Amino acid sequence: MTTVTRFAPSPNGMLHLGHAFAAVIAHDLAAERGGRFLLRIEDIDGARSKPELAEAFRKDLSWLGLDWGEVPAQSLRLASYAAAADKLRDASLLYPCVCSRAEIKAAATQIGPEGPVYPGTCKGRALDPSQPHVLRLDVAAALRRTGPLRWVDELAGEQQARPELLGDVVLVRKDEPASYHLAATLDDAVDGVTLVTRGKDLFAASHVHRLLQALLGLPVPTWHHHALLLDAEGRKLAKRRGSQSLADLREGGEDGLLLAEQLRLHRFPSGISLEEA
Ligand code: GLU
């Protein structure tokens, strides 16, 4: 089977060194195995999405010396997300929820890998359907349907799927027909991605994605969750914390090919390090 990897940035901020590292890894894993490397713009983040950034992302990747095939951006695939959500709703696996972030924080009794775990407040509650709401996955009901599931991370080994760690995640947002979990899982299947590469910060999300694959009859890829780059304070790089953008480096005349080579050799600019295993 041909290896297909992808880099799937969200255009809500410029790319930084952490993205360059992720893109080089995804590109090289495909190249080493004679496969294909895809770019997918994940632009369904409401007002935070700035479509014009996609062009800067392409320039960044070219500057790094990477070549890729581009698949349609998420904003062009909304109908497929709605169809999948309908299928899950028809199977009684989704329920509406009107809780605010603050209410969830106050009511949660568990902190999961992505913050407070939704305590199921709206499950079984009769809600006025005209009230703006999200749709959540009833994870317990879903797992009853699928039975135990497993998935494989090339680095961390075989995993038992534990979607309950994240609780009843949102699959349909108020303002979009999908959340990241639903959209990315469907897209990876449609795009023929066989090796999902992304940072370890999204490791737990893969438990949910594995469950969605089973529910929706999608092919199951292998995963490769790589270590993240950290700043001098040991925090993951983020534009909002002042991490320098690739566009700044590019426009400042830095050599992108050299940067990509340095990243491959794990030689990072001063103050940047790779998170410990
Ligand atoms: N769009 C996501 C991000 O920028 C990437 C998620 C993924 O690779 O699955 O964080």
Side-chain angles (χ1 to χ4, degrees):
M1 191 169 50
T2 313
T3 298
V4 180
T5 65
R6 86 309 193 268
F7 175 56
S10 302
N12 47 28
M14 296 296 235
L15 301 186
H16 52 61
L17 220 51
H19 294 107
F21 186 57
V24 166
I25 289 174
H27 169 274
D28 289 4
L29 284 171
E32 280 159 19
R33 301 170 195 196
R36 286 185 297 128
F37 167 60
L38 305 176
L39 170 66
R40 181 172 73 230
I41 304 294
E42 301 211 322
D43 59 348
I44 53 163
D45 210 359
R48 291 177 66 221
S49 268
K50 300 189 192 73
E52 64 280 9
L53 291 182
E55 199 38 45
F57 292 2
R58 294 183 195 102
K59 284 190 186 148
D60 292 338
L61 295 186
S62 300
W63 173 72
L64 290 166
L66 308 182
D67 45 16
W68 67 92
E70 186 161 350
V71 292
Q74 291 191 324
S75 55
L76 300 170
R77 311 189 193 204
L78 303 184
S80 71
Y81 307 150
D86 281 349
K87 208 167 146 184
L88 295 172
R89 193 176 9 213
D90 291 349
S92 306
L93 295 174
L94 300 184
Y95 65 87
C97 166
V98 293
C99 295
S100 67
R101 220 176 266 263
E103 283 165 340
I104 297 170
K105 205 171 159 197
T109 54
Q110 282 176 55
I111 303 293
E114 293 186 352
V117 175
Y118 182 66
T121 320
C122 285
K123 195 166 158 177
R125 221 189 199 182
L127 294 173
D128 169 1
S130 64
Q131 220 180 327
H133 58 265
V134 300
L135 293 177
R136 290 183 178 275
L137 177 64
D138 184 337
V139 170
L143 278 173
R144 276 196 299 278
R145 195 149 308 195
T146 63
L149 299 167
R150 304 192 76 79
W151 55 279
V152 175
D153 179 281
E154 285 193 332
L155 302 175
E158 190 171 1
Q159 309 289 315
Q160 162 97 38
R162 297 180 63 200
E164 67 280 3
L165 291 177
L166 275 80
D168 289 352
V169 290
V170 173
L171 290 192
V172 177
R173 295 168 34 154
K174 276 185 192 145
D175 52 346
E176 303 282 358
S179 66
Y180 157 66
H181 296 302
L182 183 59
T185 303
L186 288 166
D187 293 348
D188 284 337
V190 169
D191 296 338
V193 173
T194 63
L195 180 62
V196 173
T197 74
R198 57 181 165 224
K200 271 192 192 163
D201 53 336
L202 286 168
F203 193 93
S206 300
H207 292 300
V208 176
H209 300 186
R210 179 66 190 89
L211 177 60
L212 292 175
Q213 286 153 3
L215 294 171
L216 294 166
L218 304 175
V220 182
T222 302
W223 281 262
H224 179 112
H225 292 95
H226 58 78
L228 298 176
L229 293 190
L230 304 177
D231 67 13
E233 281 78 51
R235 299 170 309 189
K236 86 179 206 189
L237 301 187
K239 192 69 212 307
R240 65 178 183 285
R241 284 198 287 268
S243 300
Q244 209 176 17
S245 74
L246 300 182
D248 286 344
L249 295 170
R250 176 162 56 75
E251 283 158 15
E254 293 263 349
D255 183 339
L257 295 181
L258 186 64
L259 173 64
E261 274 318 301
Q262 301 287 352
L263 292 173
R264 288 184 175 103
L265 297 169
H266 289 187
R267 290 201 191 121
F268 307 113
S270 81
I272 308 272
S273 61
L274 192 61
E275 128 196 77
E276 302 280 327

